[in-house]
């Protein structure tokens, strides 16, 4: 897809993207065709020089690539309109990472940051024909081994898979301003790439050009939006002219006097009764197109357009009886954040198409999310990601790209970060979806500077002098450089130094723990700490920004990297596609606690997804039941960068796991939640994120597994806007008196205006102890393409799979006899997202088909 922004061109603004590249290993002679944007790994694969990096254990055989230097080259002519321009700039939108650039045998650039663009005025070096551009990518491993030797000690970087990369225990990721996950993570492989991850462009201009347009939203209300258009103009000489600034029929015109060089012009605009931008679930995502045009004597010299939404977003941290709040407010409305953590969609980022981005964002929308956290170990995402979040109302918690490590503090490194922060804040600041800038992932809590016994044991490994050096570097980056960049170049977007963190206090109260009553929490005692799912109810903070539980992808995805003989938990291939050591066996241990045993490996894959869904459901609903004390729940993680057993709810192929169907239910704007944590009682909650009252009826039924109604009850429900409460409390002993709890289910549904707006089931023993029978499940199709699913006995976790790639309106659901389930299939369409269509052949299974009855 076209990665270059679609700015409006003026009469003297000419751009061309350079193509027709070739590449080779630097110490060899054989040139091969290359794709730019791309990477050495993907170019080697397309030239059949390496095997599929994701297949089997091939990852380990490809670690030689990052120890080599690589050369790329293209020969190009300069179009007349570009060549005649006063200035011709060569723009590298993304070089990964250490690169020396030569134009016609003259060195013009040495780059050292993947997250920055690089620009060189090449007017004096260009010729009309046969220009030779050569880019020499230096090995990031060899480059940073020298830096490690110079520093004299290893810095913490717990997710570096350095042993897989053949560099022993040397942590190198911290020295390169490069995507940290390239060096491996506990869900991802180690592919330390080199190459162009964004296009190379030749840009010609004359007289003047608009280099940036920022829509600074000074005040925004339903009555009036007061806007300052901040226009950055570069002029080749002193310049007098007119600047026109406009949007949706509102025009402002000012006379401007520019001096040679870079100028900043501010234009004020008032928009009466603006159409506001809202996050998903609260209103429309109206977007305005703002245009700045620079004229000289009515002749257009330069122009630029940007699109944004008018809104206010702030992070509200106010003291209260419990501690200090932590929630987001959009247009003055408190938001309960519902969503997930986002990682890069591929180990090779140039493989991510617009369709894959749209599939992810629509999957977020379809599952009732309103926020994604762009986690700090990946990349500042491509423009398309944020544009889609703008269009669909998905708020973005944006980390700077630092995670689970401590970094050097030499001046060159710090200066590099300053430029990186400035550029990325300026690039993203117009997106209405941008809700927060966060300095890093887990570094404050891992180091725990103000608690000698706290943290991950990092600081105790260093001498007092080393500890001081490491913390000073941290303090300067995350408490000085980054917040200053946000303050200087953004407006109305808050900054939070680290996630998780309890408070920005500079003392022992700063570091987060599981019982913090301020800030945000990453709760990992379930999974890493082997705690039971029930502990999700006891460890709830003001904002739950990470927690998770693993599962495998489904069988069709596993078959993309493994053969039949590999289908075992302890096979070399299956262990390799599990990056958390004992991960496969942790799943098995939890499964033995909560679920019956599957009969085979394919059944284990299914049951792992059911287990994951049940665990995260209990977490999400516990968090939402604590509203407004808790005002956010972002599970780990939305997606995968390769086919793997991980915490994702949507696998590398984009297939929804059981978890993704479950979060769709648990994130509904009006949700029923049945809490039986205390075995003596059952509490039925209704939680609403709507800005209107919920008034309706609650119906409950106690049924046996043949569908016979044992007891039933109805009552009125009245829930205030944007709130939640217990609407019914039942005694378990009275409810179950005389009935077999292993063959009994409680069903609750809430009805408003004749429509069932939510329905939940509750069981009185663990799924492992339920007395399930083998159901006869019948699927029938109506004339309008809707399917109906029926059963003769309770069918647990009914799984529909389709021949066509897509999703169902519901899946992995419990089916009670006599309650025919209506299901619609939506195919995955490359242009329109999810489109109602034919699933082809449908296969239906339930838990009874997977276990020994």
């Amino acid at each position: 897809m076209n990665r270059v922004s679609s700015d409006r061109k003026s009469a003297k603004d000419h751009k061309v993207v350079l193509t027709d590249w070739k590449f080779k290993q630097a110490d060899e002679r054989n040139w091969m065709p290359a794709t730019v944007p791309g990477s050495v790994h993907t170019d080697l694969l397309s030239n059949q020089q390496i095997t599929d990096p994701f297949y089997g254990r091939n990852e380990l055989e490809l670690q030689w690539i990052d120890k080599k230097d690589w050369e790329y080259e293209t020969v190009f002519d300069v179009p007349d309109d570009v060549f005649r321009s006063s200035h011709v700039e060569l723009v590298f939108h993304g070089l990964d990472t250490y690169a020396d650039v030569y134009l016609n045998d003259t060195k013009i650039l040495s780059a050292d940051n993947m997250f920055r663009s690089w620009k060189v005025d090449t007017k004096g070096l260009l010729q009309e024909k046969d220009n030779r551009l050569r880019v020499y990518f230096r090995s990031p491993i060899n480059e940073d081994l020298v830096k490690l030797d110079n520093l004299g000690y290893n810095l913490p970087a717990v997710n570096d898979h350095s042993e897989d990369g053949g560099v022993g225990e040397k942590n190198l990721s911290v020295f390169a301003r490069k995507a940290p996950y390239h060096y491996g993570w506990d869900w991802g492989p180690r592919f330390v790439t080199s190459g162009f991850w964004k296009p190379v462009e030749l840009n010609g201009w004359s007289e003047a050009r608009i280099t940036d347009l920022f829509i600074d939203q000074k005040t925004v209300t339903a009555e009036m939006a007061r806007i300052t258009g901040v226009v950055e103009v570069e002029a080749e000489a002193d310049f007098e002219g007119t600047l026109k600034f406009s949007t949706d029929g509102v025009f402002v015109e000012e006379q401007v006097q520019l001096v040679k060089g870079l100028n900043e012009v501010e234009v004020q605009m008032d928009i009466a009764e603006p159409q506001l931008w809202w996050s998903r679930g609260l209103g429309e995502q109206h977007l305005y197109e703002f245009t700045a045009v620079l004229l000289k004597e009515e002749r257009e010299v330069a122009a630029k357009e940007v699109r944004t939404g008018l809104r206010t977003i702030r992070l509200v941290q106010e003291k209260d009886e419990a501690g200090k709040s932590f929630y987001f407010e959009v247009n003055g409305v408190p938001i309960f954040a519902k969503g997930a953590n986002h990682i890069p969609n591929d180990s090779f980022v140039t493989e991510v198409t617009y369709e894959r981005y749209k599939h992810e964002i629509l999957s977020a929308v379809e599952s009732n999310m309103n926020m994604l956290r762009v986690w700090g170990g990946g990349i500042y995402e491509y423009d398309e990601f944020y544009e889609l979040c703008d269009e669909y109302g998905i708020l973005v918690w944006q980390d700077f790209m630092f995670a689970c490590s401590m970094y050097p503090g030499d001046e060159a490194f710090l200066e590099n970060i300053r430029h990186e922060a400035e550029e990325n804040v300026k690039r993203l600041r117009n997106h209405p979806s941008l809700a927060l800038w966060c300095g890093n992932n887990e570094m404050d809590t891992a180091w725990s500077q103000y608690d000698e016994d706290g943290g991950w044991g990092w600081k105790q490994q260093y001498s007092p002098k080393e500890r001081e050096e490491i913390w000073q570097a941290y303090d300067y980056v995350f408490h000085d450089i980054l917040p200053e960049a946000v303050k200087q170049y953004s407006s109305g977007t808050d900054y939070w130094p680290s996630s998780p963190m309890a408070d920005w206090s500079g003392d022992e109260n700063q570091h987060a723990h599981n019982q913090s009553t301020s800030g945000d929490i990453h709760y990992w005692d379930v999974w890493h700490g082997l705690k039971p799912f029930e502990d999700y109810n006891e460890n709830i903070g003001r904002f739950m920004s990470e927690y998770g539980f693993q599962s495998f992808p489904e069988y069709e995805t596993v078959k993309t990297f493994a053969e039949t003989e590999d289908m075992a938990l302890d096979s070399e291939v299956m262990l390799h596609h599990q990056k958390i050591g004992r991960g496969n066996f942790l799943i098995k241990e939890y499964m033995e606690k909560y679920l019956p045993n599957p009969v085979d490996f394919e059944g284990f894959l299914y049951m792992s997804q059911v287990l994951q869904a049940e665990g995260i459901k209990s977490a999400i609903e516990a968090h939402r039941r604590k509203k407004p004390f808790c005002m956010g729940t972002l599970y780990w993680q939305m997606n995968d960068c390769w086919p793997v057993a991980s915490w994702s709810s949507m696998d590398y192929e984009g297939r929804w796991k059981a978890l993704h169907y479950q979060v769709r239910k648990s994130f509904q704007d009006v949700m029923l939640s049945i809490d039986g944590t205390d075995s003596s009682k059952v509490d039925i909650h209704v939680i609403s994120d709507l800005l209107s009252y919920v008034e309706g009826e609650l119906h409950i039924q106690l049924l046996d597994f043949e569908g016979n109604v044992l007891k039933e009850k109805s009552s009125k429900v009245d829930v205030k806007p944007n709130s939640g409460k217990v609407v019914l409390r039942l005694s378990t002993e009275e409810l179950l008196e005389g009935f077999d709890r292993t063959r009994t289910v409680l069903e609750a549904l809430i009805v408003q205006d004749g429509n069932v707006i939510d329905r939940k089931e509750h069981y009185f023993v663990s799924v492992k102890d339920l007395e399930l029978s083998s159901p006869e499940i019948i699927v029938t199709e109506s004339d309008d393409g809707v399917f109906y699913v029926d059963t003769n006995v309770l069918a647990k976790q009914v799984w529909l799979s389709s021949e066509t790639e897509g999703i169902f309106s519901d899946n992995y659901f419990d089916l009670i006899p006599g309650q025919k389930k209506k299901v619609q299939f939506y195919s995955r369409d490359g242009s329109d997202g999810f489109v109602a269509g034919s699933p082809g052949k449908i296969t239906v299974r339930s838990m009874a088909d997977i276990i020994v009855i």
Side-chain angles (χ1 to χ4, degrees), residues 338-503:
K338 300 176 292 188
N341 287 261
H342 158 92
I343 66 171
N345 276 302
D346 209 290
S347 291
F348 309 111
V349 293
T350 55
E351 296 297 292
V352 184
T353 61
Y354 180 80
E355 188 276 334
R356 287 175 68 180
Y357 275 129
K358 189 166 185 178
H359 177 70
E360 180 189 6
I361 301 307
L362 287 180
S363 293
V365 173
E366 289 294 326
S367 55
N368 298 304
M369 296 184 187
N370 59 16
M371 177 175 279
L372 290 173
R373 174 185 174 222
V374 178
W375 164 80
I379 61 172
Y380 304 96
E381 276 292 353
Y382 289 105
D383 293 341
E384 291 87 350
F385 174 88
Y386 302 99
E387 289 165 0
L388 286 164
C389 289
D390 294 343
E391 291 170 14
Y392 290 98
I394 301 297
L395 298 170
V396 176
W397 169 315
Q398 177 68 53
D399 284 3
F400 285 94
M401 292 301 113
F402 302 89
C404 299
S405 307
M406 300 298 278
Y407 292 82
D410 58 276
E411 186 52 42
F413 190 79
L414 297 176
E415 187 63 21
N416 208 347
I417 291 170
R418 284 190 193 95
H419 288 289
E420 172 189 324
E422 174 185 344
E423 179 171 338
N424 283 284
V425 171
K426 290 177 72 173
R427 177 171 75 92
L428 300 182
R429 61 187 175 180
N430 279 321
H431 289 285
S433 56
L434 185 64
L436 182 73
W437 280 102
C438 180
N440 68 72
N441 177 73
E442 296 187 342
M443 291 164 57
D444 181 87
T445 189
W447 187 262
S448 288
Q449 170 71 7
Y450 304 109
D451 180 359
E452 187 60 30
D453 298 322
W456 298 357
W458 284 2
K459 58 182 178 288
Q460 291 81 1
Q461 302 172 31
Y462 298 92
S463 70
K465 180 176 181 296
E466 291 166 347
R467 283 176 60 162
E468 184 179 0
E469 288 176 352
I470 293 169
W471 180 252
Q472 280 184 349
Y474 177 95
D475 193 42
Y476 195 40
V477 171
F478 301 105
H479 299 152
D480 189 347
I481 293 175
L482 299 185
E484 182 58 31
V486 174
K487 180 181 177 181
Q488 183 174 353
Y489 300 111
S490 185
S491 175
T493 305
D494 289 299
Y495 173 82
W496 185 238
S498 184
S499 179
M501 202 172 84
D503 203 355

